[in-house]
Amino acid sequence: MINEDHSGLDAAALHRLQAAVESDIEAGRYDGANIIVARHGEIGLQASVGWSDRKAGRTAAPEDVYRIFSMTKAFTNVLALQAIDRGELALTTRVVDVIPEFYGRDRFRTARKDRVNLAHLLTHRAGLVTTPTPLPYDELGDLGKVIDAVCQLDVVGEPGTTLNYSPALNHALIAEMVRRATGAASVRDLMKREIFDPLGMDSTALGAPRKWAERYVPVRASFPDGGWLSTADVEVMEEIITEEAEMPWVGAVSTARDIHSFTEMLRRRGEYDGNRILSPAVLHLATTNQTGDLPNDLYRALAEARGWDVPPGNFGLGFALSGTGTHASFFGSTTSPRTHGNYGAGSTLFWVDPERDLTFVCLTAGVMEESENVLRFQRLSTLAAATAL
């Protein structure tokens, strides 16, 4: 559905964006998508394109529930920012002050751990190892076991000096710090109470509730051999993201409409439908570049492998930022520098452009290899930015 009468959006540009997604799907680059573009809070484009399950012939629908992978980190970020707003944590709070066992059993081996703080975790500068799996897959859903495993790992870099994207460890620790600081029984309950319920996100959860079984989009990938992740590493997530699994770095499920509600809260400076989720002050800081010109080591390797210029990491407090320059990026080069959002392995993305008051949500079926995913979302983000008049 395209709102031809939306005065702040170019209808022809909205048609181009939808046509680009349709062309991608017809070419077999991915199977389907749910996309939303809105400006000033009014939706200009909401479309379900292609298939949610191509093999089964199930066409995409607004009710499709996706495993959103690392977009889950956005919810964990907000829990941490709320704890800062409420004086329960500070950016300078050390992990060991809240999780004493983070020191590990061998203090000589983990001597740098006493310097890792919440700001380091939120900006991926903690110096922890970058493994996405600190435990075997069948144990990853147990957050308590994950925290115990993380506590036994060494810090391999100097905290605060390098930026290396952490697929799992940083946000597992962030979530546990918030859980302990707030006294919550579980991170799942905390997310529901503090984010999903106030925002009316009734098709979003940490874990995959069985009651939505017929609405889930299958996790299917086709990666070339020799990459950082294999096809099996991604497709196994369909098995381990269960109703009971509590993985606050990768384990949430949601719909495009619910993610749009989340972006609306960010666009409205922390408020939605009369509910104050975050203060404008902490959200302003969180969407300001905190990592300077540091490159993101994970994406440095990807860029060098493709022969691209190495981009700066451009991280705020948990949120990825557009920044400036003409390097390959998820948000494209035409979004404003303070554009902020998050993305998940080869398939999901949202951003908020505060200068244009524009939001973009795109959840896709079929997980792409990451460098191809960057190019795909760079193109779609540029098309989305072009819709704003």
Side-chain angles (χ1 to χ4, degrees):
M1 179 273 293
I2 292 177
N3 182 357
E4 301 276 358
D5 298 324
H6 194 306
S7 60
L9 292 170
D10 182 342
L14 292 171
H15 280 285
R16 282 196 296 271
L17 171 59
Q18 181 168 336
V21 175
E22 291 170 346
S23 177
D24 281 351
I25 292 167
E26 184 176 351
R29 301 189 69 218
Y30 43 101
D31 292 339
N34 271 276
I35 54 177
I36 295 176
V37 177
R39 194 169 191 211
H40 311 314
E42 183 182 354
I43 292 176
L45 167 64
Q46 182 171 357
S48 302
V49 185
W51 294 269
S52 52
D53 187 345
R54 191 192 288 259
K55 288 183 179 179
R58 183 176 129 212
T59 56
E63 295 76 23
D64 287 339
V65 177
Y66 294 79
R67 290 168 175 85
I68 61 172
F69 300 122
S70 284
M71 191 184 284
T72 303
K73 293 179 174 71
F75 305 146
T76 304
N77 297 336
V78 167
L79 290 181
L81 297 176
Q82 284 182 331
I84 292 168
D85 263 339
R86 298 168 184 179
E88 295 158 336
L89 291 172
L91 289 170
T92 54
T93 300
R94 301 182 306 165
V95 177
V96 294
D97 292 333
V98 185
I99 308 174
E101 64 269 33
F102 182 62
Y103 274 119
R105 300 187 185 99
D106 181 353
R107 290 196 177 211
F108 293 103
R109 184 172 63 88
T110 58
R112 288 175 291 194
K113 284 189 169 182
D114 64 353
R115 299 204 302 277
V116 178
N117 63 31
L118 180 58
H120 294 145
L121 297 176
L122 283 167
T123 55
H124 297 275
R125 295 179 302 132
L128 296 172
V129 296
T130 57
T131 176
T133 54
L135 285 173
Y137 284 128
D138 61 356
E139 298 182 64
L140 279 180
D142 187 326
L143 183 58
K145 287 184 177 180
V146 169
I147 294 300
D148 182 66
V150 173
C151 289
Q152 309 319 314
L153 297 174
D154 200 1
V155 173
V156 297
E158 289 294 329
T161 62
T162 59
L163 167 59
N164 203 340
Y165 180 78
S166 171
L169 274 55
N170 284 15
H171 279 73
L173 288 169
I174 291 168
E176 182 64 7
M177 288 179 73
V178 174
R179 189 192 69 78
R180 294 191 188 190
T182 60
S186 70
V187 178
R188 175 183 294 105
D189 292 345
L190 194 61
M191 279 189 183
K192 185 176 188 302
R193 183 177 75 241
E194 299 294 342
I195 302 174
F196 306 150
D197 285 351
L199 297 181
M201 297 170 66
D202 56 11
S203 293
T204 303
L206 184 61
R210 285 181 281 272
K211 64 183 179 181
W212 300 335
E214 294 183 356
R215 298 169 58 193
Y216 287 123
V217 174
V219 178
R220 294 189 177 127
S222 182
F223 292 175
D225 294 334
W228 184 63
L229 289 175
S230 70
T231 295
D233 289 328
V234 173
E235 292 187 345
V236 73
M237 291 296 163
E238 186 167 335
E239 300 174 21
I240 65 176
I241 300 175
T242 63
E243 183 160 11
E244 296 77 19
E246 194 171 19
M247 297 184 285
W249 62 95
V250 73
V253 300
S254 192
T255 64
R257 286 188 295 203
D258 277 7
I259 298 298
H260 171 63
S261 296
F262 185 78
T263 66
E264 276 298 286
M265 178 273 293
L266 298 176
R267 183 190 70 84
R268 294 166 61 100
R269 302 173 68 224
E271 178 273 335
Y272 182 84
D273 198 24
N275 294 304
R276 173 59 61 185
I277 307 299
L278 295 171
S279 72
V282 78
L283 190 52
H284 179 84
L285 183 65
T287 57
T288 302
N289 188 344
Q290 302 294 320
T291 58
D293 295 327
L294 284 175
N296 182 337
D297 286 348
L298 173 62
Y299 284 90
R300 179 211 293 265
L302 184 150
E304 289 174 344
R306 293 293 300 256
W308 301 341
D309 292 339
V310 175
N314 289 330
F315 263 97
L317 298 175
F319 294 105
L321 307 178
S322 182
T324 59
T326 56
H327 48 269
S329 71
F330 287 99
F331 301 160
S333 298
T334 58
T335 51
S336 69
R338 286 285 294 277
T339 297
H340 49 278
N342 289 94
Y343 35 81
S347 57
T348 62
L349 168 140
F350 77 83
W351 51 252
V352 178
D353 185 333
E355 184 175 304
R356 295 180 176 86
D357 207 29
L358 183 73
T359 61
F360 179 46
V361 174
C362 185
L363 308 183
T364 66
V367 181
M368 299 179 70
E369 183 275 327
E370 194 63 1
S371 66
E372 289 299 318
N373 183 47
V374 171
L375 295 179
R376 182 262 302 268
F377 276 135
Q378 174 175 258
R379 181 168 53 96
L380 297 185
S381 290
T382 301
L383 287 166
T387 67
L389 295 173

